[in-house]
């Protein structure tokens, strides 16, 4: 089957057959189709879209492109949560140990940074020594013994997605409903879950900007998951201001540590995390309907979530002493407000893109990220500021001193009146 012909058919708006989709996916997994052809295929899908039937075929072909986790060694229900990607979105780091500490097995396979959004694996790897590249056997054993593993996709697990994901990141083909659906669900089917909780992000800093697009993505994920036997609960959440006060891998780990220890409660981050954790806890049978979020809060308050996180980091080789200190590097630059008022909007998309320039994300496929690069937001949404007040600090590891404070200041809109607090949970689909 000619790959060029398949690309042409998709480019011209045709509907691909199961065999044609399988040819692309098999070629991505085996390496027999070149990067340039896969990139052209992705761009064709980006523009021409896919029918729900094609999306389901793509998802299942990608899920079957590698091995599937055997979690029969764990007696608990297996639940995972996945997000479509946000800025400062460290929910997984906090949620996974909360849910596992409630007796639910969490085999979390995550991605690296994608476009302007961060990735859980890059964040975890900023902990010195932490090994996210676990073999399937290691994930299986760790989940059976500890109830939790947070790992990167190995060669064995949905390898077609691994390759396509990395190409999408650098070819501006992330924001595609069928590609996001297939990417996320292929990994989740390979995890062999009992239930999935999805966070579909919506807003200027999400891949789905409008609520209509976010609903369409949520429906697409629910349809493909449900049709293939995976119960899925979805929250559509606002991705406007950064979640929490930190953007950048090590900074986000430090913030998560403080949340897990109950030392900080950044309001937008807490609202989204507790809602999603609550769904996962209910789906895993550890709380009655409507009581999951309360159970999640208890897991922070009684220290069990933090202890679970420490045990997991230790087991995966991470330096627990450094984690416990949670020390952030000194700022390269402090950006200050030039006018008085209230922070009425924060352009998280631009902040996410600026953080890549600092070293927190990739500009090319195999570029290394700098764990310490990032942005600390001092002036959160709704905060009053005076001229000279710090609005954010920047830790640069790539810009080489050429950082322009105006670019960062422009991300913060300071108005004469305080804004209304944003609605974070827009819809729940169960
Ligand atoms: N997360 C994924 O795993 N894939 C996407 O396409 C977007 C978010």
């Amino acid at each position: 089957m000619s790959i060029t012909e398949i690309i042409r058919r998709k480019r011209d708006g045709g509907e691909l057959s199961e065999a044609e989709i399988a040819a692309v996916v098999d070629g991505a997994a085996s390496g027999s189709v070149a990067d340039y052809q896969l990139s052209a295929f992705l761009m064709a899908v980006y523009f021409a879209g896919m029918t729900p039937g094609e999306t389901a075929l793509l998802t299942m072909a990608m899920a079957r492109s590698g091995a599937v986790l055997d979690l029969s060694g764990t007696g608990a229900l297996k639940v995972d949560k996945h997000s479509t990607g946000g800025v400062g979105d460290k929910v997984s780091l906090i949620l996974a140990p909360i849910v596992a500490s409630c007796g639910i097995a969490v085999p979390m396979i995550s991605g690296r940074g994608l476009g302007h959004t961060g990735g859980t694996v890059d964040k975890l790897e900023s902990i010195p020594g932490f090994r996210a590249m676990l073999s399937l056997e290691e994930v299986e054993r760790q989940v059976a013994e500890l109830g939790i593993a947070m790992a990167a996709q190995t060669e064995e697990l949905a390898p077609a997605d691994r390759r396509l994901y990395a190409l999408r990141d650098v070819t501006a083909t992330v924001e595609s409903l069928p590609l996001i659906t297939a990417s996320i669900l292929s990994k989740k089917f390979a995890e062999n879950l009992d239930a999935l909780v999805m966070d579909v992000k919506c807003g200027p800093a999400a891949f789905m900007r409008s609520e209509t697009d976010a609903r369409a993505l949520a429906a697409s994920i629910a349809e493909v998951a449900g049709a293939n036997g995976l119960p899925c609960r979805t929250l559509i959440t606002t991705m406007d201001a950064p979640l929490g006060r930190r953007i950048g891998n090590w900074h986000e780990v430090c913030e998560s540590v403080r949340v897990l220890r109950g030392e900080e409660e950044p309001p937008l981050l807490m609202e989204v995390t507790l809602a999603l954790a609550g769904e996962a806890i209910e789906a895993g049978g550890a709380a009655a309907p409507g009581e999951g979020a309360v159970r999640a809060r208890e897991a922070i308050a009684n220290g069990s979530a933090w202890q679970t996180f420490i045990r997991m980091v230790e087991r995966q080789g991470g330096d627990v002493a450094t984690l416990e200190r949670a020390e952030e590097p000194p700022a390269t630059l402090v950006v200050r407000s030039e006018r008085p008022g209230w922070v009425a909007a924060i352009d998280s998309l631009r902040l996410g893109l600026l953080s890549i320039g600092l070293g927190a994300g990739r500009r090319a496929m195999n570029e290394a990220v700098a764990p310490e690069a990032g942005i600390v937001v001092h002036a959160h949404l709704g905060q009053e500021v005076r001229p000279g007040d710090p609005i954010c600090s920047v830790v640069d590891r790539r810009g080489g001193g050429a950082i322009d404070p105006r670019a960062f200041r422009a991300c913060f809109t300071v108005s004469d009146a305080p804004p209304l607090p944003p609605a974070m949970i827009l819809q729940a689909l169960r």
Side-chain angles (χ1 to χ4, degrees):
M1 196 167 292
S2 155
I3 295 296
T4 313
E5 234 3 83
I6 296 173
I7 298 169
R8 183 174 293 117
R9 258 167 62 66
K10 186 34 75 188
R11 183 200 67 186
D12 295 343
E15 181 166 351
L16 300 181
S17 68
E18 185 166 3
E20 287 169 321
I21 290 173
V24 176
V25 171
D26 292 349
S30 68
S32 65
V33 176
D35 279 353
Y36 51 81
Q37 286 184 311
L38 290 175
S39 301
F41 173 78
L42 292 168
M43 194 55 91
V45 172
Y46 178 88
F47 280 117
M50 277 187 152
T51 64
E54 284 177 296
T55 307
L57 288 171
L58 180 67
T59 306
M60 297 320 284
M62 283 164 61
R64 292 189 198 111
S65 67
V68 173
L69 281 179
D70 174 5
L71 294 169
S72 51
T74 165
L77 289 181
K78 301 158 307 263
V79 181
D80 191 7
K81 164 262 166 195
H82 199 91
S83 148
T84 55
V87 174
D89 180 1
K90 59 216 41 103
V91 169
S92 289
L93 298 180
I94 306 165
L95 175 145
I98 289 179
V99 175
S101 72
C102 295
I104 297 162
V106 184
M108 189 177 272
I109 306 291
S110 306
R112 298 184 185 278
L114 188 63
H116 63 280
T117 69
T120 301
V121 169
D122 290 330
K123 296 174 207 208
L124 286 166
E125 284 182 346
S126 73
I127 304 169
F130 188 92
R131 265 191 341 112
M133 300 298 293
L134 303 182
S135 68
L136 280 192
E137 294 69 37
E138 283 176 308
V139 173
E140 290 164 357
R141 209 174 320 121
Q142 190 174 317
V143 172
E145 289 170 17
L146 220 60
I148 181 171
M150 295 180 82
Q153 222 169 327
T154 58
E155 292 290 345
E156 306 135 283
L157 208 116
D161 173 62
R162 210 167 113 89
R163 183 129 176 259
L164 294 174
Y165 188 94
L167 284 171
R168 285 168 60 216
D169 187 27
V170 291
T171 55
T173 50
V174 173
E175 302 93 332
S176 151
L177 190 144
L179 295 180
I180 297 178
T181 303
S183 165
I184 291 177
L185 288 182
S186 59
K187 289 179 287 245
K188 300 302 134 186
F189 279 112
E191 284 176 16
N192 218 343
L193 299 171
D194 294 300
L196 171 66
V197 175
M198 275 304 308
D199 179 9
V200 173
K201 299 223 164 277
C202 165
F207 294 129
M208 296 293 126
R209 305 255 155 96
S210 72
E211 218 170 309
T212 309
D213 287 348
R215 281 181 209 280
L217 178 58
S220 165
I221 291 173
E223 187 179 330
V224 175
N228 291 284
L230 176 59
C232 177
R233 297 173 172 224
T234 305
L235 298 187
I236 300 180
T237 69
T238 303
M239 185 62 250
D240 188 350
L243 275 184
R245 293 192 168 211
R246 281 148 177 93
I247 301 166
N249 299 304
W250 173 244
H251 298 275
E252 294 192 37
V253 168
C254 294
E255 187 166 31
S256 304
V257 164
R258 290 193 277 272
V259 169
L260 281 168
R261 288 201 294 226
E263 296 162 5
E264 276 182 22
E265 296 201 343
L268 309 186
L269 174 63
M270 291 311 286
E271 189 178 343
V272 173
T273 305
L274 292 174
L276 288 162
E279 295 291 342
I281 292 169
E282 290 172 25
E291 287 174 12
V294 177
R295 184 77 188 79
R297 213 174 242 297
E298 276 168 20
I300 295 180
N302 66 24
S304 57
W306 169 236
Q307 289 310 320
T308 301
F309 191 60
I310 296 252
R311 277 199 296 277
M312 181 200 68
V313 168
E314 199 164 32
R315 171 77 174 246
Q316 293 185 227
D319 177 351
V320 170
T322 303
L323 184 73
E324 284 183 324
R325 279 198 301 279
E327 257 169 32
E328 293 172 73
T332 316
L333 174 78
V334 179
V335 181
R336 297 179 186 279
S337 179
E338 285 184 332
R339 52 161 298 186
W342 283 265
V343 178
I346 304 180
D347 186 339
S348 308
L349 170 60
R350 273 170 86 179
L351 278 183
L353 292 171
L354 285 166
S355 76
I356 295 176
L358 300 170
R362 295 175 185 79
R363 296 163 302 183
M365 211 163 135
N366 292 319
E367 191 170 41
V369 296
E372 293 192 331
I375 301 166
V376 180
V377 174
H378 301 299
H380 58 81
L381 206 59
Q383 184 169 324
E384 189 172 4
V385 288
R386 289 158 306 177
D389 280 354
I391 49 177
C392 69
S393 5
V394 170
V395 179
D396 178 35
R397 291 290 182 271
R398 192 184 274 152
I403 320 163
D404 182 352
R406 286 171 303 183
F408 290 87
R409 193 175 298 113
C411 297
F412 294 78
T413 305
V414 178
S415 299
D416 294 335
L420 290 172
M424 294 307 289
I425 316 289
L426 300 177
Q427 201 186 345
L429 303 156
R430 298 189 181 99

